Amino acid sequence: MKKVISVITALLIVVLIMPAFVNAQSSEIIIPDGRLLQGRSSNVIVIVREFGTGRLVGNAEVVMVGCGVNMHKYTNDKGEVTFLVTPTETGKIQVTATYDGMMGTETEIRVYADKSPPTMGIDPQVTPTNKKQLTVTGTTSPGAEVYVNQVKAVVDKEGRFSATIALHEGVNTIIVKASNGYATTTEQFEVELDTQSPTMFLETKVEEEHYVDVETVMIKGRVEPGSEVTVNGVKATVVNDIFVAEIPVTLGNNKLVVEAVDRVGNTSTLEKEFDIWTRTVVKIQIGSDIAYINDEVTKLDTPAAIIDGRTVVPLRFIGEAFGAEVEWIDETKTANISLDGDTISLQIGSTTAVVNGAIQTLDVPPQIVNGRTMLPFRFLGEALNCEIEWDATTKTVTMIKEVLK
């Protein structure tokens, strides 16, 4: 009888005590956010203890599987481990804790549907713009569905979304909606589309101006506010809608190119042509061997004189001062002058001259004085298309000619 009692006692000890060794640990789970929601990131703290003693178990492996979660970590020396969990589905996450020599225990965490409105964050947009398509990007709650002005956005698993829509000229209202099936979050903003070239016009009528011997020209005009303007590559000063630029020019024909770029990059261009003339002023005084070409002093071999009541001047000096070519034919005592397409032919002692093929009569014939051919200044000035001035007080002849080089 004593043997039977001993066996029964031993069996009871095995039956009662063995479970304590087989399931020698337990898991305590703490969720600071209260509960797990689909698409929301939350910390989950798992604490592993021994059954019976309640001793914290360090270096225990904790595995979390389910609802899109598959993670594992080891507890610290305080028996704790923290997971950042983002469930992608509703349901249950299985938590298993195991340690060498101890049988693992399992715990479940329930994941609930997130019925709160999804979060919404829209990346900054540039406005105005000249791009006819707009790509709207941002973030929302993972799993949410996003529409941008009726266009369904692509949403990745982290909640980043992107959608490209067409814009119309002017102000566009952009409406972004995010929905998780339970609630909707809506935000809107405006983007202006501007594809029109900036308006611009010149106040300086260069084609109507008469520029003479200038090195720079001031250009003024008006442009759409906020634009940048360059004139022949020179950056203009722009104040509100008025622009001003001083540009270098050269003698002869010049091309004017004005370019405007508005705040979004649209451009407009104005092109004009204008001329810069050069003026030659020759002054010569009766009886003086000093003459002036544009205020520069020149000494004459033979001064101007009055012959038979007419003022005569040295032909070669006057002609070459204006850039004419003077040809002397000694055999016939003939002088030929050519300038800017005009031709003059005259002969010593003859009152007949040929100007551009037409015969003209001189009051006083050309003659040679001190080896220089002299002829009436008025005839010569008119033949060379000069402006002529006579100062009777100082007995000074002034010839002015403007040419386009």
Side-chain angles (χ1 to χ4, degrees):
M1 176 62 77
K2 287 182 181 180
K3 259 186 191 179
V4 174
I5 292 172
S6 296
V7 171
I8 292 173
T9 303
L11 288 173
L12 286 173
I13 291 173
V14 170
V15 171
L16 295 174
I17 296 177
M18 278 300 292
F21 288 98
V22 174
N23 296 309
Q25 58 186 27
S26 66
S27 299
E28 178 184 349
I29 296 176
I30 301 173
I31 302 175
D33 292 340
R35 59 178 181 172
L36 296 184
L37 300 177
Q38 178 188 6
R40 291 282 189 93
S41 296
S42 300
N43 284 319
V44 175
I45 302 171
V46 179
I47 302 174
V48 179
R49 302 176 184 274
E50 285 185 357
F51 276 117
T53 66
R55 184 179 69 86
L56 296 170
V57 180
N59 204 36
E61 183 179 20
V62 179
V63 178
M64 302 184 71
V65 178
C67 298
V69 177
N70 190 343
M71 310 170 72
H72 77 94
K73 288 186 177 182
Y74 292 88
T75 58
N76 59 21
D77 56 2
K78 296 181 180 180
E80 297 181 1
V81 63
T82 301
F83 294 87
L84 180 62
V85 179
T86 308
T88 59
E89 306 167 9
T90 58
K92 297 178 181 178
I93 297 176
Q94 198 73 30
V95 181
T96 303
T98 59
Y99 184 71
D100 290 343
M102 296 184 181
M103 193 168 187
T105 57
E106 294 184 351
T107 307
E108 291 180 346
I109 307 175
R110 186 167 184 80
V111 178
Y112 298 89
D114 184 2
K115 297 183 180 181
S116 61
T119 59
M120 173 79 76
I122 301 173
D123 296 332
Q125 296 292 332
V126 176
T127 182
T129 178
N130 62 355
K131 309 298 183 185
K132 294 184 178 181
Q133 287 192 320
L134 177 71
T135 298
V136 180
T137 58
T139 55
T140 187
S141 302
E145 191 175 67
V146 177
Y147 279 85
V148 180
N149 281 14
Q150 312 305 317
V151 174
K152 188 175 182 179
V154 176
V155 186
D156 65 20
K157 62 181 181 180
E158 282 80 31
R160 287 289 305 172
F161 68 83
S162 175
T164 299
I165 62 172
L167 299 177
H168 61 75
E169 193 74 19
V171 177
N172 295 254
T173 299
I174 314 299
I175 300 175
V176 184
K177 291 183 178 181
S179 176
N180 57 13
Y182 301 99
T184 299
T185 299
T186 302
E187 289 192 17
Q188 72 178 47
F189 57 95
E190 292 183 342
V191 172
E192 180 184 355
L193 174 63
D194 178 7
T195 62
Q196 304 298 313
S197 298
T199 56
M200 176 176 59
F201 67 90
L202 293 178
E203 293 184 345
T204 305
K205 307 296 184 183
V206 291
E207 68 277 19
E208 299 176 7
E209 296 287 341
H210 185 68
Y211 299 108
V212 180
D213 290 324
V214 296
E215 296 181 351
T216 62
V217 169
M218 190 69 70
I219 304 298
K220 182 179 178 180
R222 292 184 179 271
V223 71
E224 179 181 310
S227 299
E228 292 186 353
V229 178
T230 56
V231 184
N232 285 13
V234 176
K235 187 173 182 179
T237 299
V238 183
V239 179
N240 296 325
D241 64 335
I242 298 175
F243 70 85
V244 177
E246 186 174 11
I247 62 170
V249 294
T250 58
L251 294 177
N253 184 259
N254 288 254
K255 188 173 184 179
L256 180 70
V257 179
V258 185
E259 296 178 311
V261 182
D262 68 13
R263 54 186 175 167
V264 296
N266 300 312
T267 62
S268 59
T269 303
L270 287 176
E271 294 186 3
K272 301 282 185 179
E273 289 190 1
F274 63 100
D275 297 324
I276 305 296
W277 296 75
T278 184
R279 175 185 291 145
T280 301
V281 180
V282 177
K283 289 186 177 183
I284 189 168
Q285 190 175 27
I286 301 300
S288 174
D289 63 354
I290 298 299
Y292 297 88
I293 302 175
N294 293 337
D295 296 329
E296 291 186 7
V297 176
T298 301
K299 191 172 179 60
L300 300 174
D301 293 336
T302 303
I306 296 177
I307 298 176
D308 296 335
R310 298 296 180 185
T311 300
V312 294
V313 293
L315 167 62
R316 185 172 293 276
F317 169 74
I318 298 296
E320 291 180 350
F322 290 114
E325 292 183 6
V326 180
E327 178 189 23
W328 172 254
I329 303 174
D330 192 57
E331 292 82 359
T332 60
K333 299 292 187 287
T334 301
N336 296 320
I337 305 101
S338 60
L339 176 63
D340 298 331
D342 295 323
T343 60
I344 307 168
S345 182
L346 43 84
Q347 192 173 29
I348 300 299
S350 174
T351 57
T352 299
V354 180
V355 179
N356 294 328
I359 295 175
Q360 291 190 18
T361 301
L362 284 69
D363 294 335
V364 177
Q367 49 195 291
I368 296 177
V369 178
N370 296 331
R372 296 298 179 185
T373 300
M374 308 289 285
L375 69 161
F377 87 89
R378 188 168 297 280
F379 163 78
L380 181 58
E382 291 176 351
L384 295 176
N385 295 309
C386 294
E387 180 184 343
I388 302 170
E389 296 177 359
W390 166 251
D391 187 338
T393 302
T394 61
K395 292 184 170 47
T396 300
V397 173
T398 302
M399 294 183 180
I400 304 170
K401 182 175 178 63
E402 292 182 359
V403 296
L404 187 64
K405 291 188 176 181

